[in-house]
Amino acid sequence: MSDQKKKNLTPVQQEYQKFASEREIKRPIVKNCIKAFFVGGFICVIGQCIQTFYYTFFPFTEKSAGDPTVATLIIASVLLTGFGVYDRIGQFAGAGSAVPVTGFANSMAAAAIEHRTEGYVLGVGGNMFKLAGSVIVYGTVAAFIVAIIKTLFTEWGGL
Amino acid sequence: MLVGHRTWEFVQKPVILSTGTVAGPFEAKGRIPNDFDTLHADLWLGQDSFEKAEKVMFEEACIKAVEKAKLTLNDIQFIFAGDLVNQLTPTTFAARTLAVPYLGLFGACSTSMEGLALAAYIVNSGGAKYVLTGTSSHNAATEKQFRYPTEYGSQKPPTAQWTVTAAGTAIVTANGNGPFITSATIGKIIDMGLSDPYNMGGAMAPAAVDTIEAHLKDRNISPSYYDVIVTGDLGKIGQTIAYDLLQKHRIDIAKEQFRDCGLMIYRDDQPVQSGASGAGCSAAVTYGHLLNRMKKGDWKRMLIVATGALLSPLSFQQKETIPCIAHAVSIEAE
């Protein structure tokens, strides 16, 4: 907790929070990181296999095989979400299943399934980007800033 | 009547005439499936939304309690009930079906004892002959309301708790052979500045301790008066904190005498992290398991302390801390 936040707490609250945090089960961060590394890596290996499959057996180049690969992973993720498997993988893998494109697909499919009872327009359509929306917004903002920095360097930096 | 600051003693000794408990498939695989009247294999209960499923579950629990008491719905004067969904949707819509005068209550997971305390008070003072009280919660409906979509693959920390899919109701009346409702202590909001909705046990523990202390002081009794003091849904962490806090406040309570509904409902190998929570948890466990144990003669006096975290999805996003409450009701066999 930040010091700023702590300042607003009464001494009784501070004492209790210390008392409580001593008894709290902490997130196993190292274990979670290792699991995330291997599961995330495994998902990427599957992705690589799919990509290799596409440019070996279909008329794709190594570069153009990326699109059908992502599409395949998204379909797989959406199906796993629909069958109620992806959230279990997520509990085990944490960031490992959240960071790859499958996690993004999961967040959209999960929200779409969840709000289906409210109808296709206001329910599914309106809520599909409930979680994914901020990824798109801040992804775009980040890309914009990075692009400006790159432009500044290449145009005036002479790199 | 009023003793001390905030405790009612019920001199007419209202009784719990009958109870109705209904639970879902995950609870059926738990530790106490035989203590539920009805178990459902389908989380949807054949409905097309989880909110409707919760409504049906609550209706079933109400009808079960009425049937077991050999009454009809016309005999019930009032329903005091609530749940966790926005605007108490499942409970209100169930009350529409049941067509009984209804007061909706919101005390988050403490609603069960809030309702029982009020029901006992009304019956004790002659305000009604039969009052039906109860709560329900549905795992998927509550997750949707307070957290992420159910199928979203986020990782829950070890402090998180699993919202039960269950409903529990009780009919309170003036005369009978017990179990008797002898007293109730109304809690006050305690906020220790915790804001993590994945650690509700830690946030609620001080509220439970405050209410237990107030109850013992108001009634001028020691903890040994009760065979068992059961908290609502503190879970593993909250229960440990509450126990240590009671020791720190020099309230002499034995470890085996201090239990938690949130730790009774599931088996250790079910993936529920810190234990169970939800408005239906304390209701279904109290009106099912705990009263059955009392009937068997295991315990003669128990104090149920239902705890509630009164946060909303909005307050959490606006970085507010979690206000917590606990209401205690004592149930005695004779």
Side-chain angles (χ1 to χ4, degrees):
Chain A
M1 193 189 306
S2 67
D3 287 344
Q4 184 60 40
K5 215 171 166 190
K6 226 172 195 168
K7 265 183 206 156
N8 298 329
L9 295 172
T10 63
V12 180
Q13 286 178 325
Q14 286 186 27
E15 195 196 328
Y16 173 71
Q17 294 200 354
K18 194 167 163 279
F19 184 86
S21 71
E22 283 162 10
R23 283 155 185 83
E24 203 176 280
I25 305 169
K26 299 277 178 288
R27 274 178 192 261
I29 293 175
V30 177
K31 204 171 120 194
N32 282 352
C33 286
I34 294 168
K35 283 198 281 190
F37 178 79
F38 281 103
V39 177
F42 183 66
I43 293 173
C44 296
V45 170
I46 295 173
Q48 188 56 55
C49 292
I50 296 169
Q51 194 180 12
T52 313
F53 170 79
Y54 278 127
Y55 69 70
T56 314
F57 297 102
F58 291 94
F60 288 111
T61 64
E62 207 166 316
K63 213 172 177 184
S64 68
D67 294 341
T69 305
V70 170
T72 312
L73 283 173
I74 288 172
I75 290 168
S77 167
V78 169
L79 285 175
L80 288 174
T81 306
F83 290 125
V85 181
Y86 203 89
D87 57 330
R88 289 170 201 210
I89 301 173
Q91 178 60 33
F92 175 81
S97 61
V99 173
V101 69
T102 50
F104 189 78
N106 163 253
S107 75
M108 285 181 68
I113 295 168
E114 190 87 350
H115 294 278
R116 203 187 63 80
T117 55
E118 289 122 75
Y120 286 107
V121 178
L122 294 175
V124 176
N127 289 294
M128 203 175 207
F129 289 94
K130 207 170 148 189
L131 299 162
S134 64
V135 179
I136 294 176
V137 170
Y138 292 107
T140 313
V141 171
F144 178 71
I145 293 168
V146 170
I148 287 182
I149 294 170
K150 193 194 163 199
T151 311
L152 287 178
F153 268 99
T154 49
E155 294 296 314
W156 294 294
L159 291 172
Chain B
M1 298 309 321
L2 183 72
V3 291
H5 266 290
R6 44 176 158 138
T7 300
W8 294 322
E9 272 185 356
F10 303 119
V11 280
Q12 306 294 332
K13 291 207 170 167
V15 298
I16 297 177
L17 185 62
S18 70
T19 59
T21 48
V22 181
F26 194 61
E27 291 66 31
K29 291 184 200 138
R31 210 191 286 269
I32 50 165
N34 297 331
D35 287 315
F36 297 108
D37 293 317
T38 313
L39 287 168
H40 283 280
D42 173 20
L43 196 60
W44 295 85
L45 273 75
Q47 304 300 307
D48 56 16
S49 80
F50 291 128
E51 291 77 10
K52 281 184 195 160
E54 184 174 346
K55 180 198 88 144
V56 169
M57 196 168 64
F58 185 68
E59 283 170 11
E60 285 180 359
C62 290
I63 287 162
K64 196 81 202 173
V66 171
E67 273 175 9
K68 277 162 79 181
K70 300 196 175 60
L71 297 170
T72 64
L73 282 169
N74 289 329
D75 298 317
I76 309 291
Q77 268 90 43
F78 305 111
I79 294 180
F80 297 165
D83 60 77
L84 295 171
V85 178
N86 272 345
Q87 288 85 36
L88 307 180
T89 308
T91 313
T92 306
F93 283 66
R96 178 178 73 178
T97 320
L98 301 169
V100 174
Y102 155 72
L103 289 170
L105 305 175
F106 184 78
C109 312
S110 71
T111 312
S112 57
M113 290 306 120
E114 183 182 354
L116 190 62
L118 288 171
Y121 186 90
I122 298 285
V123 166
N124 185 63
S125 61
K129 199 159 179 232
Y130 297 106
V131 175
L132 183 69
T133 180
T135 55
S136 62
S137 60
H138 189 290
N139 179 276
T142 313
E143 289 283 316
K144 177 178 174 180
Q145 170 89 54
F146 283 95
R147 303 199 176 105
Y148 296 119
T150 31
E151 297 303 335
Y152 179 54
S154 69
Q155 194 174 38
K156 289 186 178 138
T159 50
Q161 286 171 260
W162 181 277
T163 309
V164 301
T165 304
T169 59
I171 293 177
V172 180
T173 187
N175 307 302
N177 300 323
F180 301 98
I181 306 165
T182 49
S183 69
T185 301
I186 305 302
K188 62 178 180 191
I189 304 269
I190 303 281
D191 187 338
M192 281 300 175
L194 293 170
S195 55
D196 181 4
Y198 283 114
N199 184 13
M200 306 253 254
M204 294 191 294
V209 170
D210 179 75
T211 301
I212 293 170
E213 276 190 281
H215 179 83
L216 298 174
K217 202 171 151 221
D218 283 352
R219 289 195 82 190
N220 195 20
I221 48 176
S222 76
S224 58
Y225 177 84
Y226 292 107
D227 297 317
V228 66
I229 295 178
V230 190
T231 49
D233 50 0
L234 294 179
K236 267 181 223 156
I237 293 156
Q239 216 249 356
T240 313
I241 295 172
Y243 180 77
D244 291 350
L245 213 54
L246 285 167
Q247 301 297 325
K248 202 178 152 199
H249 294 195
R250 295 176 198 280
I251 299 203
D252 188 25
I253 186 164
K255 202 141 208 174
E256 61 280 1
Q257 186 196 355
F258 191 55
R259 294 171 189 243
D260 185 62
C261 294
L263 296 175
M264 292 179 182
I265 199 159
Y266 297 119
R267 289 182 198 281
D268 292 336
D269 56 359
Q270 285 178 296
V272 295
Q273 280 80 34
S274 217
S277 72
C281 175
S282 55
V285 172
T286 305
Y287 300 146
H289 181 67
L290 296 179
L291 287 181
N292 285 346
R293 296 269 313 250
M294 193 171 236
K295 257 177 226 152
K296 265 199 279 168
D298 289 356
W299 302 317
K300 284 202 157 37
R301 292 162 172 171
M302 58 185 184
L303 181 70
I304 317 292
V305 190
T307 46
L310 301 169
L311 81 169
S312 77
L314 194 72
S315 74
F316 151 65
Q317 281 169 354
Q318 292 176 346
K319 308 267 187 298
E320 287 268 11
T321 53
I322 305 173
C324 297
I325 200 160
H327 302 298
V329 175
S330 63
I331 302 173
E332 302 182 25
E334 56 201 30

